[in-house]
Amino acid sequence: MAVEVVPEWMAGLEEEDVEFIRKFLLASGSLKEMAGAYGVTYPTVRLRLDRLIQKIRLTEEQAADPYVALIKRLAVEEKLDFDTAKLLIQQYRKSLEP
């Protein structure tokens, strides 16, 4: 019996993100084909892919500094605006200075 190992970067993704990756691979990475499959424009698919890339990068950064990763994730998910996220990170890093 094989033991299923999920990479750390993938464990933090939502099911719809994993499905998007699966469809992307099956479409040989064609954003044009993905746009057709989802019934949206090319820029919409590009934006979704960019956000997914950011989520994966944030997962990798989280080990280094969970607070900064949380703030960035909230900004990527549009639960926090970019300027506020930037300010929070700057103030947090200032508070860590000796």
Side-chain angles (χ1 to χ4, degrees), residues 20-84:
F20 182 86
I21 292 169
R22 187 184 77 76
K23 286 182 178 181
F24 182 71
L25 292 173
L26 292 174
S28 298
S30 169
L31 295 180
K32 184 177 179 182
E33 190 174 324
M34 293 289 290
Y38 279 98
V40 296
T41 64
Y42 177 96
T44 301
V45 173
R46 180 74 240 183
L47 180 62
R48 180 155 183 201
L49 180 61
D50 289 343
R51 287 189 175 151
L52 186 53
I53 291 168
Q54 289 174 330
K55 279 185 179 181
I56 292 169
R57 286 184 177 148
L58 288 174
T59 301
E60 293 172 351
E61 289 178 15
Q62 192 164 5
D65 194 327
Y67 178 79
V68 172
L70 170 64
I71 298 300
K72 288 181 178 181
R73 186 172 65 250
L74 291 172
V76 167
E77 294 172 355
E78 297 180 344
K79 293 179 181 175
L80 188 64
D81 68 87
F82 178 77
D83 290 333
T84 302

